[in-house]
Amino acid sequence: MAETLPNSAIADAFEELGDLYELDGAIVHRVLAYRAAARTVREAPVSIAELARAGRATELAGIGDTLQEKILTLLDTGTIPAMEKLRAKVPPGLIAITRLPGLGPKRARLLHAELGVDSLDALREAALAGRLRTVKGLGAKFEASVLDALERGVGERPAPRLLLPRALELGRALADGLSERGGAGTDVRIAGSARRMADSVKDIDLIAVTRKPVTLAKSLAALGEIESVASAGRAGAKGRSHSGVSIDLRIAKPSQLGNLLQHFTGSGKHNAALREAAVRGGLHVSEYGVYDDAGGTTTTCASEQEVYALLGLAYIEPELREDRGELAAASLLSRPTHRTHSAHSALPELIALPDIRGDLHCHTVASDGRNTIEEMALAARERGYEYVAITDHSASHGFGDDVSPEQLRRQIERVREVDASIDGIMVLAGSEVNILPDGSLDYEDDLLAELDWVIASVHTAFTMGEEAMTERMIAAVEHPLVDAIGHPTGRLIERREPYAVDMPALTCAAARTGTMLEINANPDRRDLNDIHARAAAQAGASIVIDSDAHGVERFDVMRWGVATARRAWLTAEDVANTRSWERFAKLRKQTRQ
DNA sequence: GCCGTTTTCGGCCCGACTGTTTTCAGTCG
């Protein structure tokens, strides 16, 4: 039937199959296998449909012959027989019930079997009538907590998440406040997804060492950011911030700091994979230490480095701990050199902020920015950059911020003047040109040819279908005067979904034509995201990280773009604007060199 | 359902918490 399907559709099917199998009482490992496969498919840099047609989907971790067959059946018939069978057997409303806290598949099944509960509404009715407590193994407290959760709308509304800058700001404020109150010898670290520099986080994990644990735990309640504290003891404290985020403070003995930090930095999947691999070597990892079957002893670690070293692994940077191949890459292989054997891992040496030598996307008062060309140039120079491109919006941008062709010609002249008048930084004349719905650009080619640097971005008609959007963007990629594609998926984290575009196809076209793809560093965007940026680099496309600054202070958002690049396994070599302008030029497409 | 210094069957991470229990199942991160 369907020639092809996006990876997301295949992943959704596996996700649903996992949920249905779980509710049907399948063993947990089969359920986990479906969920792992769904994640692999969703994050894959290539078309899984095409891969399966070629019989090569089994090359991916977690996809075996059975699942490849199911993909092919889904492509050919539009469905999977097992899914149809399970849908008929398991009420679909039960999946929503398992989203409630304290309600997993077993209890959902139990409630369905005993009380006929098959939806959130039926659950509410049964709870209000006091029937939940009549089920063996459940009681009045359970019933009350279910009603409370339904009351609060849990399961309907997703939990609030903080964007990374706000999360780190909150985490830092809490850590500083605690350090102050904990007295000498207190050291508080941020762990969890904030430390891994995820796009957004739903709770803040803090790990502390201190001489006065009880005092430190109690002092959490005294911090201005904290709304309430549920528990506090010598092991730590749990609370909530005024912004609705859970705060988890754990207090470690200095000798176990490494174990606790490693455990609470996660991710959960990284830790699960780490422990599974360790078991094969007779070691058992927990937040308290590493237990060795052979000696029957537990070793504690003051640092994370020691934890990884005990397992025969190189140190893995927090940004890489997502179970995306980092464990295999961290295996220490003894590579013989001509003199000696040295331990060596395949982990990348990740890019860092000081590697960035220039910023190629920013705005001035000519469009919707807040500062002049000169102010922006000086601010870029203060960051130590060697070059900056002024890239205001183009002729059709709208919002009163559009730049007509005549205005752009004058802007180019002004950029030349500023460049001549300021030492120590090269100021480039550029533009962020709209990609119109038909794939054309909104300046004539002869004008674009006068620019040093052209970014093409989509700012209108976000909702067109995947095929049309992909054609539209590839037309811009293939334009000989386009240097880079700005914020390629258009997502706004926690606010707007990416538009439908075939990323493997776009990435492939970018690599083929030498068009660069941007990691827009604005923390609301971080677009390309980590998955796409990694795939793009692997496909041979050049990556450029830009601030998209609309004011002088916004050059500082570069760090969030670098964080995304690190999560994408990128080295300085993988990112074009870590080079001097002369060396950068060699990476540009032939028509732009 | 996947996968292999336990290779084609029999395993497949670790610990805390909660509520309901006389020893633990289910859920969660």
Side-chain angles (χ1 to χ4, degrees), chain A residues 420-496:
Chain A
S421 70
I422 297 182
D423 288 333
I425 187 161
M426 193 188 315
V427 189
L428 303 161
S431 178
E432 183 184 13
V433 182
N434 275 355
I435 306 172
L436 300 174
D438 68 355
S440 66
L441 307 178
D442 62 347
Y443 287 129
E444 298 296 332
D445 285 359
D446 59 348
L447 180 51
L448 293 176
E450 288 180 39
L451 295 167
D452 303 312
W453 176 254
V454 175
I455 303 168
S457 306
V458 167
H459 287 116
T460 55
F462 296 139
T463 55
M464 58 202 288
E466 179 176 314
E467 202 174 329
M469 182 63 91
T470 305
E471 269 180 39
R472 172 188 186 181
M473 295 189 71
I474 288 181
V477 165
E478 288 177 340
H479 194 295
L481 296 171
V482 167
D483 291 295
I485 302 296
H487 43 74
T489 77
R491 72 158 178 174
L492 293 176
I493 299 167
E494 300 296 314
R495 280 192 289 146
R496 186 172 76 201

Side-chain angles (χ1 to χ4, degrees), chain A residues 345-573:
Chain A
S345 85
L347 287 170
E349 190 175 329
L350 297 179
I351 184 174
L353 187 58
D355 292 325
I356 300 291
R357 312 262 289 253
D359 195 330
L360 292 163
H361 186 165
C362 73
H363 297 261
T364 72
V365 289
S367 62
D368 56 353
R370 293 182 295 278
N371 293 97
T372 62
I373 299 168
E374 187 166 25
E375 288 164 346
M376 294 301 277
L378 290 172
R381 190 177 69 176
E382 266 173 44
R383 269 70 177 179
Y385 293 153
E386 298 169 18
Y387 47 93
V388 61
I390 305 296
T391 55
D392 276 298
H393 288 293
S394 55
S396 67
H397 187 66
F399 309 109
D401 297 324
D402 43 295
V403 176
S404 71
E406 297 71 40
Q407 287 173 314
L408 180 58
R409 287 202 173 84
R410 287 201 294 278
Q411 170 94 336
I412 295 172
E413 280 172 30
R414 281 198 289 272
V415 169
R416 304 292 178 227
E417 286 165 17
V418 171
D419 182 45
S421 70
I422 297 182
D423 288 333
I425 187 161
M426 193 188 315
V427 189
L428 303 161
S431 178
E432 183 184 13
V433 182
N434 275 355
I435 306 172
L436 300 174
D438 68 355
S440 66
L441 307 178
D442 62 347
Y443 287 129
E444 298 296 332
D445 285 359
D446 59 348
L447 180 51
L448 293 176
E450 288 180 39
L451 295 167
D452 303 312
W453 176 254
V454 175
I455 303 168
S457 306
V458 167
H459 287 116
T460 55
F462 296 139
T463 55
M464 58 202 288
E466 179 176 314
E467 202 174 329
M469 182 63 91
T470 305
E471 269 180 39
R472 172 188 186 181
M473 295 189 71
I474 288 181
V477 165
E478 288 177 340
H479 194 295
L481 296 171
V482 167
D483 291 295
I485 302 296
H487 43 74
T489 77
R491 72 158 178 174
L492 293 176
I493 299 167
E494 300 296 314
R495 280 192 289 146
R496 186 172 76 201
E497 289 298 305
Y499 32 71
V501 56
D502 180 345
M503 285 307 286
L506 184 73
T507 299
C508 178
R512 169 168 53 78
T513 56
T515 308
M516 299 184 186
L517 295 177
E518 177 182 80
I519 294 176
N520 189 297
N522 179 333
D524 291 284
R525 293 189 180 273
R526 300 178 72 183
D527 177 13
L528 301 174
N529 70 16
D530 47 3
I531 306 276
H532 291 143
R534 187 177 182 194
Q538 281 173 343
S542 289
I543 304 290
V544 57
I545 311 178
D546 294 328
S547 70
D548 197 358
H550 283 65
V552 290
E553 75 290 348
R554 296 292 286 177
F555 280 119
D556 291 334
V557 304
M558 184 63 84
R559 60 177 296 207
W560 312 117
V562 170
T564 290
R566 290 170 63 86
R567 289 176 57 81
W569 292 53
L570 301 189
T571 67
E573 186 69 20

Side-chain angles (χ1 to χ4, degrees), chain A residues 55 70 114 204 232 267 413 477 550 566 584:
Chain A
K70 285 194 158 66
E114 299 284 321
I204 307 270
S267 64
E413 280 172 30
V477 165
H550 283 65
R566 290 170 63 86
F584 182 96

